[in-house]
Amino acid sequence: MRKTKLWAAFLAAAFVLSMSACGTNGNVEGTSAETQTTDAEKAEEAAEAGLEIINEAIAAFVQKADESFGYDVACKLAYDKELQSTPEYGWRMAGSEAEHKAANYLSDLMKDIGLEDVEKVPISVDSWDFRGGSLTIDGTELEMVPYPYATNGTDENGLTAEIVDVGTGTMDEYEGLDVKNKIVLVGVDQYNEQWIDVYMDEADVHGAAAIVTYPIGNEGYATLSDDDANVHDVCDSDIMPCVSISRNEAKAIQEAIKEGKDKATLILDNKISIGDGKAYNVIGRIKGKNSDQIIVLSGHYDKYFWGFQDDSTAIGLIMSIAKAMKESGYEPQNDIYFIAHAAEEWGTSGTQSDYTTGAWEMINHARPEWQGKIIGMLNFELPAINDGADMLEFQSVPEFENLIKSFVKAELAPGVTDAYTEGISDEITPSGVQEDGISYRLAVVPYIVNVPFSQDGPEGWYQQRYHTAHDDSDTYSKEVMTANITTYGALAIYIDRMPALELDLSLSADDMEGFFDSDIAETAGIDVSSYEKGLNVMREAAEAQNNKINDVNNRYKKAVADGASDEELAKLYEEERVINASTLKAFKYVQDNFVNIINTEEVASFHSAYQDNTALLEAIIAAIDEGELANDEDGVLDIAYMLNGGGEYSKYYFNPETVAVVDDMLTDPSKTRNYGTGKGFVYADTKGATRSILEKVMSGEKELDLTAEKAVYEAALDAQRILYKESVEKEVEAMNDFAEAF
């Protein structure tokens, strides 16, 4: 077959190059060109034979793959009234009765498919059970459903109080208003401006009893319909009832307020139980010939509204892969686990990192013994949306880049052109923190996740439908679902059958190099050459491991070509398990020493935030000296909002008490929980200097004395440079010790 020969030629070249890297120069002394050609042909035959076995397994799997089965599972999870918290609106959140019922359904489904050791694994969560509610305005016929955030609702009698329109809910909007013990109506833009916690904290500072929000603007969330509400994780403590309504409902309330009808009653059956909730991750496996290693395929089954795409289709997808593997008779080398995670959307109160709780609990507390055993995780989010993308794309940890390139080059996945006209891309998108993979990654699990959509903007699925009632089956694409089932099923088989895991840790060094800015480092007095030398030491150690990986995989292919017995192949798999264990050990070292999370949102190095702050503070001080305060480009106020990973932005518009609560939630180690544990950085302390400059600029004064503000920024710069230097020195030390990680 042409596809196998193309891949074989690639592997043959790699084989010859690896021989050169091991001490020859490509011309082996005493051999002729004819002999070398013969060796290359043998390598090609070995590669072809090794991959042909994988091809056969994939072909049998694809023949049994059934997209319609996955669709039916998704519909059951999304729409079956018995599996919803509210039959009228959907919902199924952490530890709720509906989530428990869905866990029972999934457990039975896994058993029906024929998976072994099916189990509902209990995990600790803060539970959230929404059963409905109403918001009414006295003297009108207005009655609407308020959709809640993860804060407690009201008692059965509800909260009756004046409702006050505070515009966009910033500090200035509250000026002159008495909202104490009242309900505030706030327009929020969580896509472009601030997350819900900031608006709720501001309402709390002013003494409000509850906050009713609605999406605003044409560039944010819920752009499909003005009748849609939009809800996300709250990233905060249980402060007050906090709900979302639609734009049109908000307009109706505003009209009523103008008419003097401002008495509202909020009744909200929304229960948050902190510290004693229980949810279930549902697992089942296809047992491998050896259980020392594990491959995981996963999605989550909690949801806002109907949650058809997010993430019922993902559960349908992994169940389809499991069913096809079982029906095709696939016998894996390693255990393959299928996991339906609970509590992905939310599961922990009082922290910014309040989501992916189910995955974090699974790998850290319920199954900690899996750490160092999982050789690959394939996680899925919204895998059945056709957004017009030309190519199927992968998101991944950087170390899996070459594995993905190898897989795509081999053309092992069946055709996907019905969904993606240009086929499959071998370029990865770096994985982030927005799904369950991050919790596993930080616990020593390399992972890949599908790219659910590439289309962005108000016309894209994400801004139109995400976490609204329009996350429904209308956007289901049979072709995209089929492409993902077959591609990721094939990828799982490829990872399973290739003896040594292609986890290239030299790419960790490349990642670190990309985060490091030598120019900024020099201004901070950092020894740039020591960092560069550390990277080289790290790469050398990684390449030595890569040579071991390539050697085992090449010997496996040759053994297959030579007709090796099962016993001989088993010895090679035993050898690779030792190599994989050391590779995963080093992968953990990378996560512990080099991978940081900035403001629970961005994967970066430990020095990155300090490096960014250093450059920004230098630019702010220069702008003060030049008298450039705001010019839409490089004035003080054009720069300062980016400080602390963008955390300074809230200081422009919100009360200092609000900002203090938000900053504390992001920086207090006791509140950076789940995947945020042990991550984060020390904020640059600007002591209100940014807000002070903003107020002076807005006052209209022409001669501004910014001596005090400049001194604050200079002190912050000195402190950040020290932290920057310390973090780089720790990274260099870890790089120089990297060889010991294997």
Side-chain angles (χ1 to χ4, degrees), residues 338-349:
F338 300 86
I339 306 179
H341 285 115
E344 190 271 352
E345 300 288 5
W346 180 92
T348 311
S349 183

PDB file of all heavy atoms in Angstrom, residues 338-349:
ATOM      1  N   PHE A 338     -11.630   3.750  29.621  1.00  0.00           N
ATOM      2  CA  PHE A 338     -12.584   4.743  29.130  1.00  0.00           C
ATOM      3  C   PHE A 338     -13.204   5.397  30.365  1.00  0.00           C
ATOM      4  O   PHE A 338     -13.744   4.698  31.232  1.00  0.00           O
ATOM      5  CB  PHE A 338     -13.636   4.088  28.247  1.00  0.00           C
ATOM      6  CG  PHE A 338     -13.036   3.420  27.036  1.00  0.00           C
ATOM      7  CD1 PHE A 338     -12.555   2.110  27.108  1.00  0.00           C
ATOM      8  CD2 PHE A 338     -12.908   4.105  25.843  1.00  0.00           C
ATOM      9  CE1 PHE A 338     -11.976   1.505  26.007  1.00  0.00           C
ATOM     10  CE2 PHE A 338     -12.333   3.504  24.732  1.00  0.00           C
ATOM     11  CZ  PHE A 338     -11.862   2.205  24.810  1.00  0.00           C
ATOM     12  N   ILE A 339     -13.103   6.726  30.448  1.00  0.00           N
ATOM     13  CA  ILE A 339     -13.511   7.429  31.665  1.00  0.00           C
ATOM     14  C   ILE A 339     -14.500   8.539  31.334  1.00  0.00           C
ATOM     15  O   ILE A 339     -14.222   9.405  30.499  1.00  0.00           O
ATOM     16  CB  ILE A 339     -12.304   8.045  32.399  1.00  0.00           C
ATOM     17  CG1 ILE A 339     -11.231   6.983  32.674  1.00  0.00           C
ATOM     18  CG2 ILE A 339     -12.751   8.703  33.696  1.00  0.00           C
ATOM     19  CD1 ILE A 339      -9.992   7.534  33.378  1.00  0.00           C
ATOM     20  N   ALA A 340     -15.639   8.506  32.002  1.00  0.00           N
ATOM     21  CA  ALA A 340     -16.600   9.609  31.964  1.00  0.00           C
ATOM     22  C   ALA A 340     -16.415  10.394  33.255  1.00  0.00           C
ATOM     23  O   ALA A 340     -16.798   9.934  34.336  1.00  0.00           O
ATOM     24  CB  ALA A 340     -18.024   9.079  31.841  1.00  0.00           C
ATOM     25  N   HIS A 341     -15.785  11.558  33.136  1.00  0.00           N
ATOM     26  CA  HIS A 341     -15.496  12.355  34.319  1.00  0.00           C
ATOM     27  C   HIS A 341     -16.708  13.165  34.760  1.00  0.00           C
ATOM     28  O   HIS A 341     -17.415  13.745  33.941  1.00  0.00           O
ATOM     29  CB  HIS A 341     -14.347  13.332  34.043  1.00  0.00           C
ATOM     30  CG  HIS A 341     -12.999  12.699  33.990  1.00  0.00           C
ATOM     31  ND1 HIS A 341     -12.240  12.671  32.847  1.00  0.00           N
ATOM     32  CD2 HIS A 341     -12.281  12.061  34.939  1.00  0.00           C
ATOM     33  CE1 HIS A 341     -11.106  12.052  33.090  1.00  0.00           C
ATOM     34  NE2 HIS A 341     -11.106  11.669  34.354  1.00  0.00           N
ATOM     35  N   ALA A 342     -16.882  13.230  36.060  1.00  0.00           N
ATOM     36  CA  ALA A 342     -17.849  14.141  36.662  1.00  0.00           C
ATOM     37  C   ALA A 342     -17.144  15.461  36.984  1.00  0.00           C
ATOM     38  O   ALA A 342     -15.916  15.565  36.910  1.00  0.00           O
ATOM     39  CB  ALA A 342     -18.416  13.517  37.935  1.00  0.00           C
ATOM     40  N   ALA A 343     -17.927  16.466  37.324  1.00  0.00           N
ATOM     41  CA  ALA A 343     -17.415  17.716  37.912  1.00  0.00           C
ATOM     42  C   ALA A 343     -16.288  18.347  37.109  1.00  0.00           C
ATOM     43  O   ALA A 343     -15.285  18.771  37.670  1.00  0.00           O
ATOM     44  CB  ALA A 343     -16.953  17.459  39.349  1.00  0.00           C
ATOM     45  N   GLU A 344     -16.470  18.428  35.793  1.00  0.00           N
ATOM     46  CA  GLU A 344     -15.495  19.171  34.991  1.00  0.00           C
ATOM     47  C   GLU A 344     -15.840  20.649  34.965  1.00  0.00           C
ATOM     48  O   GLU A 344     -14.965  21.506  35.107  1.00  0.00           O
ATOM     49  CB  GLU A 344     -15.458  18.627  33.553  1.00  0.00           C
ATOM     50  CG  GLU A 344     -14.311  19.182  32.706  1.00  0.00           C
ATOM     51  CD  GLU A 344     -14.652  20.475  31.966  1.00  0.00           C
ATOM     52  OE1 GLU A 344     -15.836  20.892  31.970  1.00  0.00           O
ATOM     53  OE2 GLU A 344     -13.737  21.075  31.370  1.00  0.00           O
ATOM     54  N   GLU A 345     -17.110  20.965  34.791  1.00  0.00           N
ATOM     55  CA  GLU A 345     -17.519  22.357  34.665  1.00  0.00           C
ATOM     56  C   GLU A 345     -17.307  23.142  35.957  1.00  0.00           C
ATOM     57  O   GLU A 345     -16.945  24.317  35.928  1.00  0.00           O
ATOM     58  CB  GLU A 345     -18.994  22.438  34.259  1.00  0.00           C
ATOM     59  CG  GLU A 345     -19.334  21.784  32.930  1.00  0.00           C
ATOM     60  CD  GLU A 345     -18.820  22.562  31.730  1.00  0.00           C
ATOM     61  OE1 GLU A 345     -18.118  23.575  31.931  1.00  0.00           O
ATOM     62  OE2 GLU A 345     -19.131  22.171  30.590  1.00  0.00           O
ATOM     63  N   TRP A 346     -17.538  22.502  37.068  1.00  0.00           N
ATOM     64  CA  TRP A 346     -17.360  23.109  38.387  1.00  0.00           C
ATOM     65  C   TRP A 346     -17.424  21.999  39.409  1.00  0.00           C
ATOM     66  O   TRP A 346     -18.156  21.033  39.248  1.00  0.00           O
ATOM     67  CB  TRP A 346     -18.463  24.133  38.668  1.00  0.00           C
ATOM     68  CG  TRP A 346     -18.353  24.811  40.014  1.00  0.00           C
ATOM     69  CD1 TRP A 346     -17.712  25.973  40.304  1.00  0.00           C
ATOM     70  CD2 TRP A 346     -18.895  24.349  41.266  1.00  0.00           C
ATOM     71  NE1 TRP A 346     -17.814  26.277  41.644  1.00  0.00           N
ATOM     72  CE2 TRP A 346     -18.546  25.289  42.259  1.00  0.00           C
ATOM     73  CE3 TRP A 346     -19.639  23.229  41.650  1.00  0.00           C
ATOM     74  CZ2 TRP A 346     -18.908  25.139  43.607  1.00  0.00           C
ATOM     75  CZ3 TRP A 346     -20.007  23.080  42.986  1.00  0.00           C
ATOM     76  CH2 TRP A 346     -19.648  24.038  43.941  1.00  0.00           C
ATOM     77  N   GLY A 347     -16.641  22.159  40.510  1.00  0.00           N
ATOM     78  CA  GLY A 347     -16.716  21.157  41.560  1.00  0.00           C
ATOM     79  C   GLY A 347     -16.073  21.572  42.862  1.00  0.00           C
ATOM     80  O   GLY A 347     -16.046  20.796  43.813  1.00  0.00           O
ATOM     81  N   THR A 348     -15.547  22.818  42.905  1.00  0.00           N
ATOM     82  CA  THR A 348     -14.864  23.284  44.108  1.00  0.00           C
ATOM     83  C   THR A 348     -15.193  24.745  44.347  1.00  0.00           C
ATOM     84  O   THR A 348     -14.934  25.596  43.494  1.00  0.00           O
ATOM     85  CB  THR A 348     -13.333  23.134  43.983  1.00  0.00           C
ATOM     86  OG1 THR A 348     -13.008  21.823  43.526  1.00  0.00           O
ATOM     87  CG2 THR A 348     -12.656  23.380  45.320  1.00  0.00           C
ATOM     88  N   SER A 349     -15.731  25.053  45.522  1.00  0.00           N
ATOM     89  CA  SER A 349     -16.053  26.433  45.860  1.00  0.00           C
ATOM     90  C   SER A 349     -14.849  27.125  46.485  1.00  0.00           C
ATOM     91  O   SER A 349     -13.961  26.488  47.058  1.00  0.00           O
ATOM     92  CB  SER A 349     -17.226  26.470  46.840  1.00  0.00           C
ATOM     93  OG  SER A 349     -17.618  27.791  47.129  1.00  0.00           O
TER      94      SER A 349
END
